[in-house]
């Protein structure tokens, strides 16, 4: 007979909005083990599995610490209540917890004040002699919220006398706001398909208390040119936004590499929902993602972003070097809003193919194998030509299509292969030059270039050439970078975030400039782990056809270090998202 051997949960902490799917190990009638589901619609030898989820209800609803979500809160910050900071951010588990978090916590007060709350009250609270003076003890929170479930959903009493409120009847359950502070109970039992009677005892498991999804303070768009509306958004006809984000593929998110990130926050079931929430909140017209696994694109990002009006395109990395499940190979995914753009053409760049052509043309036969071993790294780029469905009075020419070329790439990561990085970037730019020559089209070049400001690839992108004396050019065992005079391009590319360096003297501008490197006019970092911090991600644009209207504010390192580094419970990648708003402008002569 069908029986349940074992049940356990993949994550020890349930989070609002993140699916919970227990691991259920079964024994079939033939004595073999399986994890396949056996639903009522497809019974196995007259038996199937019935699932139930319950919320363990009690008189006391527990508040959760905003810093240590696995701990019960005992203190609440009065400053948060006064300045209307979200209440979930006000809870702390101890005085030490609050004191340690104070330097980061007070930023919540400052931001709330800057958005229209009482600045005098804020000054009084933030200048208080002791942080404990703005704390109050958390009393028991009565669970006054009414259940979202109809009265037909049953309640029952558990073995310990607790009230169990049924909340789900499938194997998978997604915790909701009503569940916060409560334990959930999962129940699985074998049912006789004919009699509908339980066969044996039910198998149950309890979760930890449900916690709210950590919510970082929203990153604001900062205008860098032009007039703004009452919400601080630029008032520009024909503007559009572009997001570039390396989301950290699950296959690379190992607990060894990111041991500082709690296991529940590193799990893909949590990260995918947190990443989706973040991406959707930006409302970008075009989204360029890197490190998107093949299976995650098909099963999650494409269908989920489709619900928000996005059309999806994907280029998987090649698999000549990759070892493992082909479905987990990552690649570049580009999404665009169907109401804003239409698809014209797609180009796929496989650097492996370019490596084959290069070695055939310039590498002597005895060195071909060595050359291919060095050059073939499976990296790709996805180039998409789009047509705008909106107009721009300043740039419109009657009857002319408003096109846009968007390149999305992820360059090789190895620090030792400086020649390969530069060759990949040069190869991509030469391809884009051909498109530009044939179509005379505005261009965006986005992605994780795995190269820091002032490196040879960055110089090629930003300056159109590489100094022949650049130290990166010393690494060229195959001679593929010679003559150095060929390392040029004619695209008038400018880094979008360099616009922060050219802003006026406002307080906001000064805050963003402190997060920029004055030597390169690039952000101080876009990648922040325990062992590395620096800029690897960029959005470049052709400055003769596009202008930057606004940029997503940068994060400061101190705010991230409270969680050691990225990824963290708040930010689910080791990179930060870059977002720029552009406006078409009349074409100028190069």
């Amino acid at each position: 007979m069908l029986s349940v051997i074992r049940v356990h949960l993949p994550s020890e902490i349930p989070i609002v909005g993140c699916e919970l799917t227990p691991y259920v190990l079964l024994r079939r009638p033939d004595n073999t083990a399986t994890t396949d589901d056996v639903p009522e619609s497809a019974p196995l030898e007259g038996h199937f599995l019935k699932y139930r989820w319950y919320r363990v209800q009690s008189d006391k609803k527990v508040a959760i610490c905003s810093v240590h979500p696995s701990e019960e809160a005992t203190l609440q910050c009065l400053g948060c209540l006064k300045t209307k900071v979200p209440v979930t951010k006000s809870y702390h588990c101890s005085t030490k917890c609050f004191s340690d978090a104070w330097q980061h916590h007070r930023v919540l007060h400052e931001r709330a004040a800057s958005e229209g709350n009482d600045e005098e009250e804020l000054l009084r609270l933030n200048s208080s002699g002791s942080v404990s003076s703005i704390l109050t003890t958390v009393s028991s929170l009565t669970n006054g919220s009414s259940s979202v479930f109809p009265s037909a959903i049953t309640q029952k009493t558990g073995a310990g006398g607790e009230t169990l409120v049924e909340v789900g009847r499938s194997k998978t359950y997604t915790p909701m706001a009503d569940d916060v502070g409560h334990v959930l109970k999962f129940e699985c039992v074998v049912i006789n398909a004919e009699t509908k009677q339980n066969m044996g005892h039910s198998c149950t498991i309890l979760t930890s208390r449900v916690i709210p999804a950590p919510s970082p303070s929203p990153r604001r768009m900062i205008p860098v040119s032009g007039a703004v509306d009452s919400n601080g958004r630029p008032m520009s006809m024909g503007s559009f936004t572009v997001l570039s984000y390396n989301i950290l593929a699950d296959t690379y998110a190992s607990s060894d590499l990111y041991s500082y990130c709690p296991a529940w926050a590193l799990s893909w079931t949590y990260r995918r929902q947190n990443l989706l929430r973040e991406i959707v909140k930006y409302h970008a017209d075009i989204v360029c993602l890197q490190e998107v696994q093949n299976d995650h694109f098909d099963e999650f990002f494409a269908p989920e972003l489709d619900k928000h009006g996005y059309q999806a395109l994907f280029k998987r990395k090649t698999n000549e070097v990759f070892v493992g499940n082909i479905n987990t190979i990552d690649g570049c995914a580009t999404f665009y809003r169907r109401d804003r753009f239409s698809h014209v053409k797609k180009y796929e760049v496989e650097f492996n193919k370019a490596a084959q052509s290069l070695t055939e043309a310039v590498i002597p036969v005895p060195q071909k194998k060595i050359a291919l071993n060095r050059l073939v790294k499976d990296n790709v780029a996805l180039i998409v030509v789009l047509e705008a469905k909106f107009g721009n009075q300043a740039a419109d020419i009657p009857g002319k299509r408003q096109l846009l070329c968007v390149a999305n790439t992820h360059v090789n990561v190895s620090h030792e292969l400086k020649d390969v990085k530069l060759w990949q970037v040069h190869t991509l730019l030469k391809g884009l030059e051909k498109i530009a020559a044939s179509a005379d089209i505005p261009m965006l070049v986005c992605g994780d270039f795995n190269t820091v400001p002032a490196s040879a690839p960055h110089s090629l992108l930003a300056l159109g050439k590489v100094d022949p004396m650049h130290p990166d050019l010393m690494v060229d065992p195959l001679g593929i970078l010679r003559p150095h005079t060929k390392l040029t391009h004619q695209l008038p590319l400018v880094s979008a975030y360099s616009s922060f360096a050219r802003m006026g003297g406002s307080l906001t501008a000064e805050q963003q400039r402190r997060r920029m490197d004055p030597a390169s006019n690039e952000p101080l970092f876009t990648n922040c782990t325990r062992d590395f911090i620096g800029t690897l991600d960029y959005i470049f644009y052709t400055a003769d056809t596009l202008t930057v209207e606004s940029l997503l504010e940068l994060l400061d390192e101190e705010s991230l270090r409270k969680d050691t580094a990225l990824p963290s419970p708040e930010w689910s990648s080791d990179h930060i998202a870059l977002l720029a708003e552009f406006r078409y402008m009349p074409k100028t002569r190069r």
Side-chain angles (χ1 to χ4, degrees), residues 479-494:
I480 59 173
L481 304 179
R482 293 191 287 271
H484 298 153
T485 52
K486 76 177 182 181
L487 298 174
T488 63
H489 70 87
Q490 300 303 312
L491 300 171
L493 294 179
V494 175

Side-chain angles (χ1 to χ4, degrees), residues 238-255:
S239 70
F240 61 93
T241 52
V242 179
L243 174 74
S244 185
Y245 197 5
N246 179 326
I247 62 170
L248 179 59
D250 184 46
T251 191
Y252 305 136
S254 71
S255 55

Side-chain angles (χ1 to χ4, degrees), residues 349-585:
V349 179
E350 294 184 359
F351 294 113
N352 282 5
K353 286 185 178 178
Q356 294 280 359
S357 300
L358 178 68
T359 54
E360 288 296 326
V362 304
I363 303 296
V365 173
Q367 285 187 285
K368 285 190 189 299
K369 186 174 181 180
I370 296 171
L372 287 173
N373 283 340
R374 187 172 185 86
L375 291 172
V376 171
K377 299 300 173 190
D378 288 339
N379 299 93
V380 296
L382 175 60
I383 303 171
V384 181
V385 177
L386 303 173
E387 181 177 0
K389 293 184 176 180
F390 51 89
N392 176 22
Q393 294 171 347
D396 278 350
I397 298 173
K400 184 175 180 179
R401 302 166 75 191
Q402 190 69 74
L403 300 177
L404 179 69
C405 179
V406 183
N408 179 9
T409 192
H410 190 187
V411 172
N412 186 251
V413 68
S414 176
H415 298 300
E416 292 75 33
L417 301 178
K418 290 182 170 62
D419 54 327
V420 178
K421 290 179 192 283
L422 181 54
W423 169 75
Q424 288 184 352
V425 171
H426 184 247
T427 300
L428 174 61
L429 290 170
K430 285 300 167 184
L432 291 173
E433 271 191 323
K434 291 178 182 177
I435 296 172
S438 65
D440 195 21
I441 182 173
M443 291 199 162
L444 295 168
V445 188
C446 309
D448 176 0
F449 291 84
N450 271 312
T451 188
V452 296
S455 64
H458 182 267
S459 296
L460 181 60
L461 283 158
L463 304 177
K465 61 183 179 180
V466 181
D467 187 328
M469 301 305 292
H470 197 291
D472 284 2
L473 299 182
M474 300 296 290
V475 181
D476 187 18
L478 302 174
I480 59 173
L481 304 179
R482 293 191 287 271
H484 298 153
T485 52
K486 76 177 182 181
L487 298 174
T488 63
H489 70 87
Q490 300 303 312
L491 300 171
L493 294 179
V494 175
S495 175
Y497 270 78
S498 67
S499 299
F500 272 149
R502 299 187 290 273
M503 284 177 66
S506 69
L507 187 63
T508 300
E510 184 55 38
Q511 181 189 57
Q512 294 306 306
R513 272 197 291 270
R514 287 198 299 270
R515 299 172 186 178
M516 298 283 289
D517 172 21
S520 64
N521 286 340
E522 294 287 6
L524 288 173
F525 69 90
T526 63
N527 178 236
C528 179
T529 65
R530 183 169 50 197
D531 305 317
F532 173 83
I533 184 165
T535 291
L536 303 174
D537 309 86
Y538 307 91
I539 298 175
F540 286 94
Y541 67 99
T542 46
D544 62 341
T545 53
L546 298 169
T547 185
V548 180
E549 290 289 308
S550 61
L551 294 165
L552 185 65
E553 68 177 329
L554 295 167
L555 298 176
D556 66 288
E557 182 182 356
E558 185 184 7
S559 69
L560 302 180
R561 291 302 185 193
K562 66 182 173 64
D563 295 306
T564 303
L566 297 176
S568 67
E570 291 189 338
W571 306 104
S572 288
S573 175
D574 55 345
H575 293 250
I576 65 170
L578 300 180
L579 177 64
E581 180 169 22
F582 295 98
R583 176 172 50 83
Y584 286 106
M585 56 187 279

Side-chain angles (χ1 to χ4, degrees), residues 190-296:
V190 177
I191 301 292
N192 184 301
E194 185 176 342
T195 66
K196 300 296 189 289
Q197 296 297 308
N198 291 9
M199 303 300 294
H201 297 293
S202 61
C203 201
T204 62
I205 190 169
L206 294 175
T207 70
S208 302
R209 293 188 186 277
V210 176
I211 66 170
S215 55
S217 298
R219 294 170 65 188
R220 297 170 293 182
M221 291 296 286
I222 309 297
V224 296
S225 67
V228 298
D229 62 22
S230 59
N231 296 315
R233 297 286 296 178
M235 295 188 298
S236 55
M237 293 293 292
S239 70
F240 61 93
T241 52
V242 179
L243 174 74
S244 185
Y245 197 5
N246 179 326
I247 62 170
L248 179 59
D250 184 46
T251 191
Y252 305 136
S254 71
S255 55
D256 290 339
L257 196 58
Y258 304 106
S259 58
Y260 49 84
C261 184
W264 62 266
L266 196 59
S267 70
W268 181 243
T269 52
Y270 171 72
R271 290 203 305 117
R272 70 176 186 174
Q273 294 293 344
N274 204 33
L275 287 164
L276 181 66
R277 269 195 301 270
E278 182 186 0
I279 292 165
V280 169
K281 279 181 181 177
Y282 292 136
H283 301 292
D285 297 313
I286 300 168
V287 176
C288 295
L289 302 182
Q290 303 86 44
E291 288 197 20
V292 180
Q293 285 183 200
N294 190 59
D295 52 345
H296 295 164

